[in-house]
């Protein structure tokens, strides 16, 4: 009887062991699925952020906030080398610690990590200890993981996560964090092109207008507040002839006079840029084509009645007051306009290219406001 009871207990214990193993595997599998779902959600949030109409710096801050929320990270900091110095692009750490955080590449403990492109995990063992890179703080962080960031084998900076707990990352699945790191790098690759666009717009010397790149960055943000807008491009058809037959100074004055006249008649909501050479673009935000045709006809007629004097001849006449004065030739600008509809979210650069190609192939005698 006693042996039977013992046997039953052994079977029960054995069954419980098997049950625990099965449950443990299920829990582990559930955690893996949960981590994959979280990583997928993070990636989706990343891509949504990239598609937003915001600056590169704003997107990086948003990405860091997503990491902190989705992975329950206490502190997360992204530092990037901008070509001259290391800059904290995003961090939820108090700014008084940023000077330390942007100089971690100089810390001996992280140099090997940067060289080998492998993450570095450090932690303290006692509450009264501090991490090697901490200069004046004790209580904020007790554990840290450092991830060097590389794009095409070029070191661009690092991502560091920190915790206020000792040995906080001992059991963290580093493969998941490596995936996160790769996602961060992918986002940097994508937004680097936007960064180029953001840094390209310049103020044109003669027209005092932004250059065409402005349309693709700040300008698009304004235009895309509306479902449809009208994009206009016009060309000063006789600018090249004026440069050759009169002089370039007079051609430059023609640009100034034409742009000043048109600019004074445009709403601040409309975007006016020098597109390239004798070509200029205007984005009528939220306005249908039929709503701008009459306005552009008036602008064209009025602008073509402007008289631009020979700048050099006029200057020589002013200097030689006692000599016989030269006859100052007056030149009138001649403009060719073309317009089309832009739909929010479509390729603005393709629309502008289509307008440019039309103007470049149009007859020099063309004078109507053309729709394409």
């Amino acid at each position: 009887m006693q042996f039977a009871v013992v046997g039953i207990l052994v079977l029960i214990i054995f069954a419980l062991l098997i049950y625990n193993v099965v449950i443990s595997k299920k829990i582990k599998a559930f955690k893996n699925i949960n981590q994959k779902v979280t990583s997928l959600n993070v990636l989706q949030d990343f891509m949504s952020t990239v598609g937003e109409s915001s600056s590169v710096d704003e997107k990086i801050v948003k990405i860091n906030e997503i990491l902190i929320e989705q992975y329950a990270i206490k502190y997360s900091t992204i530092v990037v080398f901008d070509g001259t110095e290391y800059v904290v692009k995003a961090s939820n750490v108090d700014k008084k610690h940023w000077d330390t955080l942007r100089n971690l590449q100089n810390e001996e403990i992280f140099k090997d990590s940067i060289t080998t492109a492998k993450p570095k995990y450090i932690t303290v063992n006692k509450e009264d200890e501090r991490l090697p890179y901490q200069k004046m703080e004790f209580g904020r962080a007790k554990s840290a993981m450092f991830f060097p960031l590389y794009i095409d084998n070029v070191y661009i900076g690092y991502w560091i996560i920190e915790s206020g707990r000792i040995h906080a990352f001992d059991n963290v699945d580093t493969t998941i964090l490596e995936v996160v790191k790769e996602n961060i790098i992918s986002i940097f690759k994508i937004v680097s092109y936007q960064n180029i666009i953001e840094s390209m717009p310049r103020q044109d010397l003669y027209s005092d207008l932004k250059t065409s790149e402005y349309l693709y960055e700040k300008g698009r943000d304004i235009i895309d507040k509306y479902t449809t807008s009208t994009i206009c491009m016009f060309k000063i058809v006789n600018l090249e002839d004026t440069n050759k037959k009169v002089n370039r100074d007079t051609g430059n004055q023609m640009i100034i006079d034409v742009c000043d006249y048109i600019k004074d008649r445009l709403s601040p909501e409309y975007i006016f840029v020098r597109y390239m050479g004798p070509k200029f673009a205007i984005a009528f935000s939220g306005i249908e084509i039929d709503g701008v045709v009459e306005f552009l006809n008036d602008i064209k007629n009025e602008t073509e009645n402007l008289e631009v004097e020979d700048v050099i001849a006029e200057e020589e006449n002013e200097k030689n007051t006692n000599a016989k004065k030269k006859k100052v030739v007056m030149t009138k600008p001649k403009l060719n306009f073309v317009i089309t509809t832009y739909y929010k979210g479509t390729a603005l650069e393709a629309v502008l290219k289509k307008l440019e190609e039309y103007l470049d192939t149009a007859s020099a005698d063309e004078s109507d406001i053309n729709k394409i």
Side-chain angles (χ1 to χ4, degrees), residues 20-35:
N20 285 337
V21 170
V22 172
I23 291 296
S24 177
K25 286 182 178 179
K26 286 184 178 180
I27 291 172
K28 188 175 181 180
F30 175 78
K31 284 182 177 179
N32 288 335
I33 292 170
N34 191 48
Q35 286 176 336

PDB file of all heavy atoms in Angstrom, residues 20-35:
ATOM      1  N   ASN A  20       5.243  21.626 -16.198  1.00  0.00           N
ATOM      2  CA  ASN A  20       6.026  22.860 -16.035  1.00  0.00           C
ATOM      3  C   ASN A  20       6.912  23.138 -17.246  1.00  0.00           C
ATOM      4  O   ASN A  20       7.084  24.280 -17.671  1.00  0.00           O
ATOM      5  CB  ASN A  20       6.896  22.783 -14.778  1.00  0.00           C
ATOM      6  CG  ASN A  20       6.094  22.951 -13.495  1.00  0.00           C
ATOM      7  OD1 ASN A  20       5.007  23.532 -13.538  1.00  0.00           O
ATOM      8  ND2 ASN A  20       6.597  22.435 -12.386  1.00  0.00           N
ATOM      9  N   VAL A  21       7.489  22.040 -17.786  1.00  0.00           N
ATOM     10  CA  VAL A  21       8.330  22.196 -18.976  1.00  0.00           C
ATOM     11  C   VAL A  21       7.508  22.724 -20.155  1.00  0.00           C
ATOM     12  O   VAL A  21       7.920  23.627 -20.882  1.00  0.00           O
ATOM     13  CB  VAL A  21       9.018  20.867 -19.335  1.00  0.00           C
ATOM     14  CG1 VAL A  21       9.683  20.971 -20.712  1.00  0.00           C
ATOM     15  CG2 VAL A  21      10.050  20.508 -18.283  1.00  0.00           C
ATOM     16  N   VAL A  22       6.302  22.111 -20.323  1.00  0.00           N
ATOM     17  CA  VAL A  22       5.421  22.524 -21.414  1.00  0.00           C
ATOM     18  C   VAL A  22       4.997  23.980 -21.254  1.00  0.00           C
ATOM     19  O   VAL A  22       5.035  24.773 -22.202  1.00  0.00           O
ATOM     20  CB  VAL A  22       4.180  21.604 -21.474  1.00  0.00           C
ATOM     21  CG1 VAL A  22       3.154  22.158 -22.477  1.00  0.00           C
ATOM     22  CG2 VAL A  22       4.580  20.188 -21.866  1.00  0.00           C
ATOM     23  N   ILE A  23       4.605  24.320 -20.003  1.00  0.00           N
ATOM     24  CA  ILE A  23       4.183  25.703 -19.725  1.00  0.00           C
ATOM     25  C   ILE A  23       5.335  26.672 -19.967  1.00  0.00           C
ATOM     26  O   ILE A  23       5.162  27.754 -20.534  1.00  0.00           O
ATOM     27  CB  ILE A  23       3.668  25.839 -18.277  1.00  0.00           C
ATOM     28  CG1 ILE A  23       2.349  25.079 -18.111  1.00  0.00           C
ATOM     29  CG2 ILE A  23       3.499  27.303 -17.899  1.00  0.00           C
ATOM     30  CD1 ILE A  23       1.214  25.640 -18.962  1.00  0.00           C
ATOM     31  N   SER A  24       6.541  26.276 -19.522  1.00  0.00           N
ATOM     32  CA  SER A  24       7.721  27.124 -19.705  1.00  0.00           C
ATOM     33  C   SER A  24       7.982  27.378 -21.187  1.00  0.00           C
ATOM     34  O   SER A  24       8.304  28.502 -21.592  1.00  0.00           O
ATOM     35  CB  SER A  24       8.937  26.460 -19.055  1.00  0.00           C
ATOM     36  OG  SER A  24      10.099  27.221 -19.262  1.00  0.00           O
ATOM     37  N   LYS A  25       7.843  26.308 -22.010  1.00  0.00           N
ATOM     38  CA  LYS A  25       8.058  26.462 -23.448  1.00  0.00           C
ATOM     39  C   LYS A  25       6.999  27.369 -24.062  1.00  0.00           C
ATOM     40  O   LYS A  25       7.288  28.190 -24.941  1.00  0.00           O
ATOM     41  CB  LYS A  25       8.021  25.098 -24.125  1.00  0.00           C
ATOM     42  CG  LYS A  25       9.273  24.251 -23.873  1.00  0.00           C
ATOM     43  CD  LYS A  25       9.195  22.928 -24.619  1.00  0.00           C
ATOM     44  CE  LYS A  25      10.467  22.106 -24.401  1.00  0.00           C
ATOM     45  NZ  LYS A  25      10.404  20.808 -25.110  1.00  0.00           N
ATOM     46  N   LYS A  26       5.753  27.219 -23.579  1.00  0.00           N
ATOM     47  CA  LYS A  26       4.676  28.053 -24.097  1.00  0.00           C
ATOM     48  C   LYS A  26       4.898  29.518 -23.733  1.00  0.00           C
ATOM     49  O   LYS A  26       4.676  30.415 -24.546  1.00  0.00           O
ATOM     50  CB  LYS A  26       3.317  27.569 -23.564  1.00  0.00           C
ATOM     51  CG  LYS A  26       2.840  26.278 -24.212  1.00  0.00           C
ATOM     52  CD  LYS A  26       1.453  25.909 -23.714  1.00  0.00           C
ATOM     53  CE  LYS A  26       0.947  24.637 -24.413  1.00  0.00           C
ATOM     54  NZ  LYS A  26      -0.404  24.269 -23.949  1.00  0.00           N
ATOM     55  N   ILE A  27       5.340  29.733 -22.482  1.00  0.00           N
ATOM     56  CA  ILE A  27       5.615  31.105 -22.041  1.00  0.00           C
ATOM     57  C   ILE A  27       6.743  31.727 -22.865  1.00  0.00           C
ATOM     58  O   ILE A  27       6.670  32.875 -23.289  1.00  0.00           O
ATOM     59  CB  ILE A  27       5.963  31.139 -20.535  1.00  0.00           C
ATOM     60  CG1 ILE A  27       4.714  30.802 -19.701  1.00  0.00           C
ATOM     61  CG2 ILE A  27       6.526  32.501 -20.133  1.00  0.00           C
ATOM     62  CD1 ILE A  27       5.001  30.622 -18.224  1.00  0.00           C
ATOM     63  N   LYS A  28       7.788  30.911 -23.084  1.00  0.00           N
ATOM     64  CA  LYS A  28       8.912  31.383 -23.881  1.00  0.00           C
ATOM     65  C   LYS A  28       8.477  31.693 -25.309  1.00  0.00           C
ATOM     66  O   LYS A  28       8.872  32.724 -25.890  1.00  0.00           O
ATOM     67  CB  LYS A  28      10.027  30.337 -23.885  1.00  0.00           C
ATOM     68  CG  LYS A  28      11.313  30.823 -24.537  1.00  0.00           C
ATOM     69  CD  LYS A  28      12.408  29.776 -24.402  1.00  0.00           C
ATOM     70  CE  LYS A  28      13.709  30.295 -25.035  1.00  0.00           C
ATOM     71  NZ  LYS A  28      14.805  29.295 -24.909  1.00  0.00           N
ATOM     72  N   ALA A  29       7.650  30.794 -25.854  1.00  0.00           N
ATOM     73  CA  ALA A  29       7.155  31.010 -27.217  1.00  0.00           C
ATOM     74  C   ALA A  29       6.277  32.256 -27.275  1.00  0.00           C
ATOM     75  O   ALA A  29       6.364  33.059 -28.220  1.00  0.00           O
ATOM     76  CB  ALA A  29       6.364  29.793 -27.684  1.00  0.00           C
ATOM     77  N   PHE A  30       5.461  32.438 -26.238  1.00  0.00           N
ATOM     78  CA  PHE A  30       4.598  33.613 -26.169  1.00  0.00           C
ATOM     79  C   PHE A  30       5.438  34.890 -26.097  1.00  0.00           C
ATOM     80  O   PHE A  30       5.137  35.894 -26.755  1.00  0.00           O
ATOM     81  CB  PHE A  30       3.676  33.520 -24.951  1.00  0.00           C
ATOM     82  CG  PHE A  30       2.832  34.745 -24.739  1.00  0.00           C
ATOM     83  CD1 PHE A  30       1.701  34.966 -25.518  1.00  0.00           C
ATOM     84  CD2 PHE A  30       3.181  35.687 -23.778  1.00  0.00           C
ATOM     85  CE1 PHE A  30       0.930  36.103 -25.326  1.00  0.00           C
ATOM     86  CE2 PHE A  30       2.419  36.821 -23.590  1.00  0.00           C
ATOM     87  CZ  PHE A  30       1.283  37.026 -24.362  1.00  0.00           C
ATOM     88  N   LYS A  31       6.514  34.837 -25.273  1.00  0.00           N
ATOM     89  CA  LYS A  31       7.394  36.003 -25.157  1.00  0.00           C
ATOM     90  C   LYS A  31       8.040  36.327 -26.493  1.00  0.00           C
ATOM     91  O   LYS A  31       8.152  37.483 -26.884  1.00  0.00           O
ATOM     92  CB  LYS A  31       8.472  35.749 -24.097  1.00  0.00           C
ATOM     93  CG  LYS A  31       7.980  35.847 -22.660  1.00  0.00           C
ATOM     94  CD  LYS A  31       9.127  35.637 -21.685  1.00  0.00           C
ATOM     95  CE  LYS A  31       8.659  35.796 -20.240  1.00  0.00           C
ATOM     96  NZ  LYS A  31       9.774  35.570 -19.284  1.00  0.00           N
ATOM     97  N   ASN A  32       8.467  35.266 -27.205  1.00  0.00           N
ATOM     98  CA  ASN A  32       9.095  35.481 -28.513  1.00  0.00           C
ATOM     99  C   ASN A  32       8.105  36.107 -29.499  1.00  0.00           C
ATOM    100  O   ASN A  32       8.447  37.025 -30.238  1.00  0.00           O
ATOM    101  CB  ASN A  32       9.626  34.164 -29.082  1.00  0.00           C
ATOM    102  CG  ASN A  32      10.863  33.674 -28.342  1.00  0.00           C
ATOM    103  OD1 ASN A  32      11.578  34.472 -27.743  1.00  0.00           O
ATOM    104  ND2 ASN A  32      11.110  32.377 -28.372  1.00  0.00           N
ATOM    105  N   ILE A  33       6.868  35.574 -29.481  1.00  0.00           N
ATOM    106  CA  ILE A  33       5.836  36.127 -30.360  1.00  0.00           C
ATOM    107  C   ILE A  33       5.550  37.569 -29.973  1.00  0.00           C
ATOM    108  O   ILE A  33       5.439  38.457 -30.829  1.00  0.00           O
ATOM    109  CB  ILE A  33       4.541  35.285 -30.283  1.00  0.00           C
ATOM    110  CG1 ILE A  33       4.786  33.895 -30.894  1.00  0.00           C
ATOM    111  CG2 ILE A  33       3.393  35.985 -31.002  1.00  0.00           C
ATOM    112  CD1 ILE A  33       3.654  32.915 -30.652  1.00  0.00           C
ATOM    113  N   ASN A  34       5.456  37.801 -28.650  1.00  0.00           N
ATOM    114  CA  ASN A  34       5.174  39.143 -28.158  1.00  0.00           C
ATOM    115  C   ASN A  34       6.278  40.123 -28.556  1.00  0.00           C
ATOM    116  O   ASN A  34       6.019  41.262 -28.957  1.00  0.00           O
ATOM    117  CB  ASN A  34       5.018  39.114 -26.630  1.00  0.00           C
ATOM    118  CG  ASN A  34       4.467  40.416 -26.087  1.00  0.00           C
ATOM    119  OD1 ASN A  34       3.484  40.932 -26.605  1.00  0.00           O
ATOM    120  ND2 ASN A  34       5.111  40.947 -25.058  1.00  0.00           N
ATOM    121  N   GLN A  35       7.541  39.662 -28.456  1.00  0.00           N
ATOM    122  CA  GLN A  35       8.671  40.506 -28.835  1.00  0.00           C
ATOM    123  C   GLN A  35       8.641  40.805 -30.331  1.00  0.00           C
ATOM    124  O   GLN A  35       8.940  41.918 -30.765  1.00  0.00           O
ATOM    125  CB  GLN A  35       9.980  39.823 -28.453  1.00  0.00           C
ATOM    126  CG  GLN A  35      10.260  39.856 -26.952  1.00  0.00           C
ATOM    127  CD  GLN A  35      11.513  39.079 -26.577  1.00  0.00           C
ATOM    128  OE1 GLN A  35      11.927  38.169 -27.296  1.00  0.00           O
ATOM    129  NE2 GLN A  35      12.114  39.436 -25.458  1.00  0.00           N
TER     130      GLN A  35
END
